[in-house]
Amino acid sequence: MALIAPRVTAGLPAGDARSLTRALEDSNDITVFVDGTVHRLPGEARDAVVDLLARLSRGETVTVSSVEEMLTTSQAAELAGISHTYLRNMTDRGEIPVEYRGSHRRIRTADIMTWLEKQKLAEQKRKPGKDAGDDAGTEE
């Protein structure tokens, strides 16, 4: 998988920063135009945009990036209940997607959870009726 680099923007020049500071004073109302269409941002997105603009207005350099929990192979193996070596072998075979940070492998939590769900479904297919058989001998 390709790693998308975070976007880094230098602080605004002093004049632009002052203008933006004045515009943001006592206002959290942000209107976004995309291809000429007005979009109203949900509260969380609006707050993030206001925070970004406030930081730029102070002349700060900002970095915009998405956050997705990445696990080491040891953490991912522990979550999956398998050995570190088995997990590494699965990443080598392409069964579980992996990203490299330098020479270190990183695995998305969502990818481990997807693999676990597939394992659970495969187990259910291998043992049809197991649940029904377990309930047959119980008294109420």
Side-chain angles (χ1 to χ4, degrees):
M1 290 187 173
L3 178 64
I4 299 171
R7 181 181 182 114
V8 177
T9 302
L12 295 175
D16 291 339
R18 281 191 300 275
S19 254
L20 185 54
T21 299
R22 282 191 301 274
L24 290 173
E25 284 177 1
D26 301 320
S27 177
N28 282 334
D29 183 25
I30 303 295
T31 302
V32 177
F33 291 88
V34 178
D35 291 329
T37 303
V38 177
H39 294 275
R40 182 179 192 122
L41 296 177
E44 296 83 9
R46 183 199 64 238
D47 293 346
V49 170
V50 168
D51 182 58
L52 171 73
L53 293 174
R55 291 170 189 269
L56 286 170
S57 75
R58 292 190 298 266
E60 297 176 19
T61 297
V62 296
T63 302
V64 177
S65 170
S66 57
V67 177
E68 185 170 301
E69 188 173 3
M70 300 295 285
L71 304 172
T72 65
T73 51
S74 295
Q75 292 168 323
E78 183 177 342
L79 178 63
I82 58 178
S83 75
H84 179 259
T85 303
Y86 183 64
L87 179 70
R88 266 196 344 258
N89 290 338
M90 286 195 305
T91 63
D92 289 343
R93 292 190 301 265
E95 294 174 28
I96 294 181
V98 65
E99 290 183 16
Y100 286 89
R101 304 289 161 88
S103 62
H104 301 281
R105 300 171 202 227
R106 295 292 181 260
I107 300 168
R108 287 183 168 84
T109 302
D111 290 333
I112 289 296
M113 299 311 287
T114 299
W115 179 81
L116 283 169
E117 187 61 30
K118 287 179 184 176
Q119 296 305 303
K120 182 179 174 183
L121 291 172
E123 181 68 22
Q124 288 172 350
K125 286 181 182 178
R126 280 194 295 273
K127 297 182 181 178
K130 179 181 184 286
D131 293 335
D134 289 346
D135 293 340
T138 59
E139 292 184 35
E140 293 183 20

